[in-house]
Amino acid sequence: MIKKILIANRGEIAVRIIRCCKEMGISTVAIYSTIDKNALHTQLADEAVCIGPPKASDSYLNIRNILQAASSTGCDAIHPGFGFLSENAKFARLVIECGFIFIGPSPEIIEKMGNKIESKNLMLKANVPVIPGGKEKLVSVNEGILKAKEIGYPVIIKASNAGGGKGMRVVRFEEEFEKLYYAAKKEALSNFSDDEIYLEKYIENPKHIEVQIMGDKYKNVVHLYERDCSFQRNNQKMIEEAPCFVLDEKIRKKMCEDAVKACKYVGYDSVGTIEFLLDSSGKYYFMEMNTRIQVEHPITEMVTGIDIVKYQIKIADNQKLNLKQSDIKLNGFALECRINAENPKDNFKASPGKIKFLNLPAGKGVRIETSAYTGGEISPFYDSMLAKIITFAPTRLECIKKMRIALEELIVDGIDTNEEFHYLILHNKKFVDGKYSTGFAKELIEELKQSGEFI
């Protein structure tokens, strides 16, 4: 049995994991950079170890220091959370080689599914529908132009080992291909230390739908249905909901079955998500797999009643899933708004600083995931997410209304947030109808800029 876990992360996900461990009777060790000395996760964990200065590369990405912290505190497992080292196969392999349990899939699966080209070819073998193109890396501009003609414009250039919407460029005309080709390679190298890119068909304004799955080390795999993550700005999710309100039941069933099929084919042994793009005709395509816990996992927990983090730890501890697919039912609707320390009126500029006063919403059907508190600091060194507000209700409209009320109750003094922007979205007819796509946020922002109402 796992008795002590080091959490190789910070912020609200570290707090979420600590709470889960307390329920399970597992001791926890927090790590922190010097600027995070007074962060909430360091106060809630049983122990806390400083692993370096504020810069992430010197602290939360410092593999050696993290492993030393785990060793010196007598941990038997390491949970990577999301972001940072969560999908780093080298880190996972070193964790295991040092005698710790890595709470996530095997390093081999992280490598396979983390590379967009390899994962796509695996899905083709598993008979899961994939986006046209992207079967091999691009080696030159000329090769890319020839492939783009073959696929048909628009196309999208993507980094092979990317994440978070980085290293991507949409190309609509041949004349702009060369410029965007080199821009994508440069961004990929800067963010992922790897400039390998590939090309695939660009699906115009799709729905971005991800299926939550859980697989154990005994080849048992189940799905926890889907989430609609289509409200995105610059490929970064802002609002998620579960389930997808406009998804046809037949498509839902087939998509979830394909997600399970994909995981069984690669021998997946943790929690994760299979991400799909759904076009306007109802066809869906595999896009990528996230081999970690997702930011938006709480909405799935709300509609299924299943603690995903708890199962993630149990699976890592070699326990069998005690769930059958028939045991998992959808109940109601859940919505998540990511409250970021940023100013939408100034092109969403980050707003780090001290929180002078914080009032978090509460009440029936309201869940808050945060590490923020009055007097706490939002650091300029890390992600600007301040909190996740999650609401749950029997119907989607009730859930939206509950979120509006929650946003009205939220008070953050001292820094700017995107709270008001979320409030506007929740009153937009297209959003309320659920018929929005991944291009909706950009369209809405442009409308607000032109009207002068908000941005």
Side-chain angles (χ1 to χ4, degrees), residues 208-242:
H208 180 154
I209 298 175
E210 61 188 28
V211 178
Q212 176 72 57
I213 60 90
M214 299 195 304
D216 65 18
K217 300 182 187 302
Y218 305 92
K219 299 183 180 180
N220 300 304
V221 180
V222 296
H223 69 77
L224 305 184
Y225 294 93
E226 85 288 348
R227 300 186 283 258
D228 186 345
C229 305
S230 302
F231 196 91
Q232 305 174 7
R233 175 182 167 271
N234 294 341
N235 299 307
Q236 299 290 318
K237 300 167 187 173
M238 295 183 72
I239 298 176
E240 300 97 352
E241 55 181 293

Side-chain angles (χ1 to χ4, degrees), residues 34-75:
T34 51
I35 203 168
D36 272 346
K37 182 179 180 181
N38 296 317
L40 186 61
H41 73 288
T42 70
Q43 311 303 311
L44 298 181
D46 297 300
E47 298 173 63
V49 179
C50 182
I51 53 163
K55 194 176 178 182
S57 59
D58 297 327
S59 52
Y60 296 105
L61 294 173
N62 191 320
I63 295 175
R64 180 177 179 178
N65 286 4
I66 291 170
L67 293 174
Q68 284 181 340
S71 178
S72 65
T73 53
C75 291

Side-chain angles (χ1 to χ4, degrees), residues 171-189:
V171 187
R172 298 187 178 279
F173 308 103
E174 185 177 322
E175 295 76 18
E176 59 183 3
F177 191 95
E178 184 173 352
K179 177 184 175 183
L180 296 174
Y181 171 91
Y182 287 114
K185 283 181 77 71
K186 183 179 179 181
E187 187 173 80
L189 185 63

Side-chain angles (χ1 to χ4, degrees), residues 247-298:
L247 190 62
D248 178 85
E249 191 58 43
K250 289 182 180 178
I251 297 175
R252 170 178 288 118
K253 185 174 186 294
K254 187 70 171 64
M255 187 182 285
C256 291
E257 286 174 352
D258 275 343
V260 170
K261 184 199 300 182
C263 293
K264 285 185 175 180
Y265 185 82
V266 299
Y268 198 74
D269 56 353
S270 185
V271 306
T273 52
I274 299 289
E275 311 226 347
F276 295 100
L277 293 182
L278 175 72
D279 69 18
S280 56
S281 71
K283 291 183 180 179
Y284 62 87
Y285 308 91
F286 168 82
M287 182 175 65
E288 64 182 11
M289 182 177 196
N290 286 305
T291 56
R292 54 173 167 77
I293 195 77
Q294 288 274 74
V295 174
E296 58 273 19
H297 76 274

Side-chain angles (χ1 to χ4, degrees), residues 205 231 233 344 348 421 424-425 427-431 435-437 439-455:
N205 296 323
F231 196 91
R233 175 182 167 271
F348 294 86
F421 181 64
L424 281 174
I425 296 162
H427 286 82
N428 182 280
K429 186 179 185 303
K430 197 170 182 179
F431 181 85
K435 297 177 181 178
Y436 61 96
S437 68
F440 175 55
K442 185 178 180 180
E443 293 170 9
L444 180 59
I445 289 168
E446 286 303 315
E447 286 177 16
L448 291 169
K449 282 180 178 178
Q450 290 175 15
S451 67
E453 287 181 36
F454 183 60
I455 299 177

Side-chain angles (χ1 to χ4, degrees), residues 86-90 92-93 96 102 104-116 118-119 122-123 161 213 215-217 221 262-274 286 289-292 315:
S86 61
E87 292 180 289
N88 186 308
K90 176 185 175 183
R93 190 168 283 114
I96 295 167
F102 179 74
S106 70
E108 293 74 24
I109 289 176
I110 294 174
E111 280 180 334
K112 286 178 183 178
M113 301 311 290
N115 183 286
K116 304 299 187 289
E118 188 172 355
S119 65
L122 282 169
M123 293 304 98
N161 294 288
I213 60 90
D216 65 18
K217 300 182 187 302
V221 180
C263 293
K264 285 185 175 180
Y265 185 82
V266 299
Y268 198 74
D269 56 353
S270 185
V271 306
T273 52
I274 299 289
F286 168 82
M289 182 177 196
N290 286 305
T291 56
R292 54 173 167 77
I315 291 166

Side-chain angles (χ1 to χ4, degrees), residues 365-423:
V366 178
R367 171 176 169 177
I368 306 296
E369 298 281 323
T370 187
S371 62
Y373 59 91
T374 298
E377 294 273 349
I378 300 299
S379 169
F381 291 94
Y382 314 114
D383 184 89
S384 64
M385 189 166 65
L386 182 148
K388 299 181 312 198
I389 300 178
I390 301 105
T391 55
F392 171 80
T395 69
R396 184 172 179 270
L397 185 57
E398 286 177 288
C399 191
I400 290 172
K401 289 179 177 179
K402 198 179 286 285
M403 182 63 80
R404 292 171 184 166
I405 295 166
L407 289 172
E408 289 171 2
E409 290 184 14
L410 177 65
I411 301 172
V412 185
D413 185 26
I415 57 173
D416 296 317
T417 74
N418 60 356
E419 169 194 350
E420 190 177 348
F421 181 64
H422 279 290
Y423 195 73

